[in-house]
Amino acid sequence: MLLLHACCGPCSMYPVDFLKESGRELDLFWFNPNIHPQFEWDRRLENLQKAADHYGVKLIAEGECREDYWKSGEYLNEFNTRCLMCYDVRLDAAAKFASENGYDAFSTTLLVSPYQNHEAIIDAGKRKSEKYHIDFEYHDFREGFRKGQNMARDIGLYRQKYCGCIISLEESDFKEKILKSFEQ
Ligand code: SF4
């Protein structure tokens, strides 16, 4: 059984579809303290649950919104960029949970995005694999990114317009529109 860390519903569609078609059994694992604000954290988790229900897979939700930490910049002491820290924190939790709960491997839907640092995600996965003595199952899901986004649209999932952290919201071209959506 694979533990598939999931960053959101839309990015889960293609990987879950692909893995199920391949006969791989999996549970989804939500651990994304990077996603801000709380409203958005709740909204993405809710839409991930819809994706899980669509495929009939179990979703395990852990952790909380940690806006304070992403704002603090403390991580720059340890990591070169906030994104490296972001992959590390999330894959650490996934690998630990997988190791402690009888899974044979872990992976992540972050591997579907052409906008993420793919090689850095692989590095983080390998480091956590060694740390927790569990396989990191690598798939290059990127070829299915567009297909997955279309599948998400077809089942009515919310598709976000920023990566997730408070800094990526500040930098988004759609910032005003996103802020308005928090008021609805
Ligand atoms: S831009 Fe995305 S990957 Fe980078 S720190 Fe923000 S949420 Fe994490």
Side-chain angles (χ1 to χ4, degrees):
M1 174 76 82
L2 174 70
L3 186 72
L4 181 64
H5 166 263
C7 58
C8 65
C11 286
S12 301
M13 294 298 289
Y14 176 77
V16 174
D17 196 73
F18 172 86
L19 291 164
K20 281 186 70 88
E21 283 293 313
S22 313
R24 188 74 163 109
E25 287 189 54
L26 66 100
D27 287 342
L28 284 168
F29 181 70
W30 164 270
F31 182 88
N32 297 293
N34 54 314
I35 296 171
H36 313 136
Q38 184 68 49
F39 181 91
E40 181 73 9
W41 193 92
D42 293 339
R43 177 159 64 175
R44 292 196 196 186
L45 175 54
E46 190 182 308
N47 279 270
L48 177 59
Q49 184 65 63
K50 287 183 193 169
D53 292 345
H54 177 76
Y55 284 109
V57 299
K58 182 176 164 188
L59 169 62
I60 298 149
E62 296 261 316
E64 60 189 350
C65 173
R66 287 292 310 272
E67 183 171 334
D68 55 333
Y69 190 65
W70 259 254
K71 270 182 168 171
S72 74
E74 277 176 50
Y75 53 81
L76 291 175
N77 295 330
E78 194 180 344
F79 299 94
N80 288 333
T81 71
R82 68 178 189 268
C83 297
L84 295 189
M85 184 237 3
C86 198
Y87 305 143
D88 192 278
V89 166
R90 292 190 276 175
L91 293 187
D92 191 273
K96 185 170 189 290
F97 189 92
S99 175
E100 291 174 352
N101 290 279
Y103 293 88
D104 60 62
F106 73 102
S107 192
T108 176
T109 62
L110 290 166
L111 293 167
V112 80
S113 174
Y115 304 110
Q116 300 290 346
N117 184 335
H118 200 80
E119 297 307 316
I121 295 166
I122 295 170
D123 281 350
K126 286 179 177 167
R127 277 189 281 106
K128 302 310 172 183
S129 170
E130 281 177 23
K131 180 176 175 185
Y132 294 106
H133 310 290
I134 182 155
D135 285 348
F136 172 60
E137 188 169 305
Y138 173 69
H139 296 277
D140 188 350
F141 292 126
R142 288 175 295 184
E143 65 179 6
F145 179 71
R146 284 287 153 222
K147 184 180 175 191
Q149 293 294 313
N150 290 338
M151 291 154 78
R153 184 198 57 214
D154 291 346
I155 65 164
L157 293 190
Y158 158 67
R159 287 176 298 150
Q160 62 273 4
K161 291 188 166 12
Y162 70 109
C163 191
C165 66
I166 199 79
I167 304 153
S168 63
L169 172 57
E170 287 297 325
E171 291 173 352
S172 172
D173 293 340
F174 303 99
K175 183 181 168 190
E176 295 309 317
K177 197 173 170 189
I178 296 163
L179 291 177
K180 277 205 175 66
S181 78
F182 296 150
E183 296 163 8
Q184 290 165 4

